[in-house]
Amino acid sequence: MNTTALIRPAWTPATIALMVIGFMVFWPLGFAMLAYIIWGDRLDGFKRDVNRATDGIFAGCRRGSDKAARWGHGSARTGNVAFDDWREKELERLAEERRKLDEMLTEFDDYARELRRAKDQDEFDRFMANRNKSTAPTTTASKTTGTTPKRKGSNLLDD
């Protein structure tokens, strides 16, 4: 996804303005823009799933028309047996290439998702380490005085 796009599923000035204008013009447009801002990043996966489903449906129709054409019920045959055989082999080869490309796309999507998860985990771990360093009580004061150190803000009456 292009992160420099003017209208992207994020809280940018352009998307906020479009949402406000949408509510002023026709309230369902405002809700549609709000939904896009909140859930728009999920549209890529949804679009890919819809495309795969429709490809599967139309592939079934194509197979049905190919069967009909083999029995002389369609216009897919040219009359030249050698050309028709070559064309069928090429179409099968292309279908196999398409299947391989779809598998590679799925593998890459899984790989990219795992990279994002690992990056998020690394950032979270770094945050927690920094947070724990800044909130950890000093142990030198408790060793010298024999008491536990008081942290500012631990009791509302201390402030």
Side-chain angles (χ1 to χ4, degrees), residues 19-81:
M19 181 183 62
V20 170
I21 292 170
F23 276 116
M24 288 190 303
V25 172
F26 185 59
W27 65 268
L29 292 175
F31 278 123
M33 193 62 199
L34 179 64
Y36 176 72
I37 292 170
I38 295 172
W39 297 295
D41 56 343
R42 299 180 187 166
L43 287 177
D44 287 334
F46 175 74
K47 185 172 74 170
R48 187 172 35 256
D49 292 343
V50 168
N51 286 340
R52 284 184 185 154
T54 54
D55 286 347
I57 291 169
F58 288 112
C61 295
R62 212 173 14 252
R63 281 190 297 270
S65 68
D66 288 345
K67 287 179 185 176
R70 286 188 193 111
W71 291 99
H73 294 95
S75 62
R77 293 287 207 192
T78 62
N80 186 328
V81 176

Side-chain angles (χ1 to χ4, degrees), residues 40-142:
D41 56 343
R42 299 180 187 166
L43 287 177
D44 287 334
F46 175 74
K47 185 172 74 170
R48 187 172 35 256
D49 292 343
V50 168
N51 286 340
R52 284 184 185 154
T54 54
D55 286 347
I57 291 169
F58 288 112
C61 295
R62 212 173 14 252
R63 281 190 297 270
S65 68
D66 288 345
K67 287 179 185 176
R70 286 188 193 111
W71 291 99
H73 294 95
S75 62
R77 293 287 207 192
T78 62
N80 186 328
V81 176
F83 175 76
D84 290 340
D85 290 342
W86 172 82
R87 190 178 92 200
E88 283 183 29
K89 288 177 186 173
E90 285 296 308
L91 289 174
E92 289 172 8
R93 183 185 64 78
L94 290 172
E96 180 64 24
E97 286 293 318
R98 176 62 184 231
R99 187 188 60 77
K100 287 179 185 177
L101 287 173
D102 287 343
E103 287 176 3
M104 285 193 286
L105 176 65
T106 303
E107 290 174 11
F108 178 75
D109 287 344
D110 294 341
Y111 175 75
R113 190 176 306 112
E114 183 60 28
L115 280 179
R116 282 191 297 272
R117 191 203 60 77
K119 179 184 170 199
D120 290 347
Q121 184 66 44
D122 183 47
E123 289 175 355
F124 176 74
D125 290 343
R126 199 173 327 127
F127 166 76
M128 290 303 288
N130 288 341
R131 183 174 177 258
N132 289 339
K133 274 195 278 184
S134 66
T135 61
T138 57
T139 57
T140 57
S142 62

